[in-house]
Each structure stands twice: as C-alpha cells, then as structure tokens.
Amino acid sequence: MNNIWGDMSQYDPVTWHWVIAVYLFLAGLSAGAVMVALALRWAKGEQFESPIIKAAALVAPLAICLGMLCLVFDLTKPFHFWLILINYNLSSVMSIGVIALLLYIPLTFAYALLVFRAPLANWPLLGGVAEALLGWRKPLEVLLFGLGIVVGAYTGFLISAMNVYPMLNTAILPALFLVSGISAGAAANALVALIWFKTDSHSAEISGLHRVELPVVGIEMLFLLMLFSALYFKGGAAASALASLTTGQWAVVFWALVVGVGFGIPLLSRLLPAELRHGKGVTVLAACASLTGVLALRHFILYAGQSYIS
Amino acid sequence: MNKRYVMVHDENKCIGCQACNVACRTENDVPDGVARLQVRVEGPFGEMPNLHYSYARISCQQCEDAACIKVCPTGAAYRNDDGIITINKDKCVGCQYCVAACTYKVRFMNPVTRVADKCNFCTDTRLKRGEQPACVTVCPTNALVFGDANDASSEVAQIIATRATYRDKVHLGAEPRVYRIPAKKGGIAS
Ligand code: SF4
Ligand code: SF4
C-alpha cells in the first residue's frame, strides 16, 4: 500500500547484512586461531613449529584480510576507506577496532614470517626479516595473544554498543563472540593442520585441540543461556526479541545450524568409540560443523538482534 | 550562551498533509525513496462517531546524548556550534554504523551522495540566513514551532513551560529535542 507520507524502506531496522556477519566471523576466527595455537604452544612448552602453530600462522592473517575486504566493500564509499584511517573518534568502538586491527594485522604477518622462516630462508629479504624476528618471539607472541583477545571481543562490542537493539545491547555479547571465535579458531586450526600440513588425526597436537573443544562449547552454551535469560527477565522490548527463537527463519537457523550442527555434531562425535572418534574423517566433519555453527551464530545474532528494537 | 534549538510538533493542529515532508525534500535535495521527515498518520482509532487519528513526526530528534555521534568512527556525525547534530559529508565513509545505532531509526544513506543523511533543522541553508526551517515555514496550520529553548522569551520555551508535552522513547536516555503536544482525542484544540 502507498502511504501518503512516502516510502518506508529506509526504516527497516536491519542495517547491517550478511557481509558484516561474515566479517565478524572471520575476525573472530582469526583471533581465535592465534589464541588457541599460542595457548597450546605455551602449555606444552613446545620448541618446534607444530602443525597447529603453522596452521594458525596461515589462518590468522588470511582470515583477517578476507574479513577486511568484506568490511571495506560493504562501505557505501569503499574507495574512501582511508578516511577511517586518518580520522579517529575514541568513543566509537569501530575507531578503537581500527586501532587494534592496525596493530594486529601486521603482527599476524610478522608471526607467519617467523613460523615459516625455514621455507623462506632462501628468499633474499623475507628470510632475513624472519630470522631477525626470531629473537623477539616471546614478546611478539604475548602481544599477539593480547591483541587476539581485543580483536575477538571487539567483534562483539561493535554491535553491543547500540542501545536501540535490546538483544545486541547486552554485556555478555562480547564474551560470547570471543568464546565462539575461539571455537572457530580451534576448528580452523584442526582443518588446516589435518589437510594442509598432513598431521595425523591421532597426534598429540590434534588431541590437544580436542581437549579445548568441550569446555569452549560448554561456555558458549552457558553464555547463550545467560543472554536469553537476561532478555527474558528484562521484559518489554527485550523479552519480545526472544520471539526470534521460536518464529521465522532465524529460529530455524538457530536451532538447526547453531545448536544442531554447531554444538550437536562435535559433541555427538565424542560419544563414538575412541578409534572412530579420532579418525581423520570424524575430526574433519566435527571441525566443519563447528565452523558452520559459529558462522550461523553470527548471522543469527546480527539479523535477529537487529530485527527487534526498543 | 549556548543555544538549544528544539522543535515542537502540535499533534492537535497537525492534519497530516505532508507539506512539511515535501518542503524538506525540496529545500534539502532529498532524493526519491528516502526522507528526512515524514508525518505518519495512523488510525482511525475509537468508536463511531468519536474517531480520531494520530500524527507522529518522524525525523532526527537532535538527541542531547546522540548515539550517532558516539559511534561514528570518523567524526563525520558531529554537533556544530549551534548545538545541532549534522554530517560532514567529506568525512563520511559510509559504514552505516550511525544508521544502525540511531535511537530513533531516522538516519539513512543518501543514494545520490552515498553518505549518511538526516534532518539538521536546515542548519546550513535557512538557519544560516536567519530563516526558520522549511517545514516550519510551510505548515498550513502552524503545527510546528522552532526556536532556542535556552532563550526564556522564545515561543518554544514558553510552550515547553506551560503546555503538556511529551517526547518519544525517553526511557532510552537520548534526551531528544523534538517535543510533541499530545492530541486531545476527537478534535482540534488550540
Ligand atoms: S535521532 Fe538519530 S540521527 Fe538524530 S541525533 Fe538522535 S541518534 Fe542522531
Ligand atoms: S556512515 Fe558516515 S556518518 Fe555514519 S557512522 Fe559511518 S562514517 Fe559516520
């Protein structure tokens, strides 16, 4: 129907679409991959370049760069993106994110050089830089880990800083995104290590990743429960947003992809007999399921979150 | 002394004719399909013969605590010397963060300039020349009053002091500067 006051399409509360969900996924995955790999390396006191570290060194810069491409081409003025690099507003989470990413992205590349210094040894410049970085390994790792936390949490803060969306404007969202980024990072590390670096799925490295999986999924579920119960008890517009769990396509995405595939398949695979469970096929399947679940979670939160306003 | 420009919309006098909407479009070169200002007419409500409509002005509320300014990464969304929130086109990258974050969902991306857009009380054009905003000037029933609420002798200050007014979504804490005089059901009261 035509209104006498004009077109209503600009008032659709869903402003950010799937490209942003993919960006939030990739940024969280990149940060998660770094954090998981470094934590495992430190925990075991590894002195060599394990397949997991190699995987993370590859995944982290690639994922974040792909994510940045998504972000830039989602701007209405993509070729003016440099404006965001020369103007800063410290009350804007996006501006703070830009600062964090300007530190994080070069560091992921530096760390990749360091990890792959052996194959790069014969390159004139890169080989030298990689060797030089080696002396700085520990401080570099600590800084990278810290920035990983910042980048992972930032993806949540970015959308929680809008008080017009009750489902997004919650304290738990940055924590939820940080943890689900860690689960995506662990899955991506496992996939790359298994397929690219041909690790044995029964190896100590992969079983280390398996040990991370269960607590991380548990915390993710707990945070989701906290998010939904906070909305329920707040009442009003916040409680209305819970309708996204029972109606419409995002309810299907949540229950089928986030819960069924993302949590269900990795958890069920752990009930299989040890021989099967640690097989390559099952490990790859569980990792793909985790990644699907996290990507679906970003979509669900972004779309369902923006669909209800207070 | 600082100015505090506010707008009052008298929902008793409003007849929903959209003259303000059209005047704004012309004054500010607003392209088709998007709007800085609409008056939504809803209804009829009530039982025959006591029917009534509601008239709601949908436009930037010039928030005291503006979400758009807080989230804008480049400072393109800013408050000018008159205290009016407006947009520096040259700084906007088009990230749409302000469109998403706006408490009143009234910001939009201008499809021609590709930067964020919204009502700024005609600050760069009519206000600069000492004139009233376009919508205020054309309103056939004088339902709109505009002025500096910090000036106690201004018409807006007196309306706010003496009439029952309300503002939209005050529970969200943005402190909007658009005041509304609620309609008495079923007729025009002046
Ligand atoms: S109504 Fe929206 S655009 Fe206008 S000042 Fe408030 S937040 Fe900014
Ligand atoms: S779209 Fe433009 S005005 Fe809005 S937040 Fe982004 S840079 Fe700022």
Side-chain angles (χ1 to χ4, degrees), chain B residues 72-74 76-77 92-98 107 109 116:
Chain B
C72 176
T74 64
C92 177
V93 277
C95 66
Q96 306 183 54
Y97 203 0
C98 58
R107 286 179 85 103
M109 298 312 290

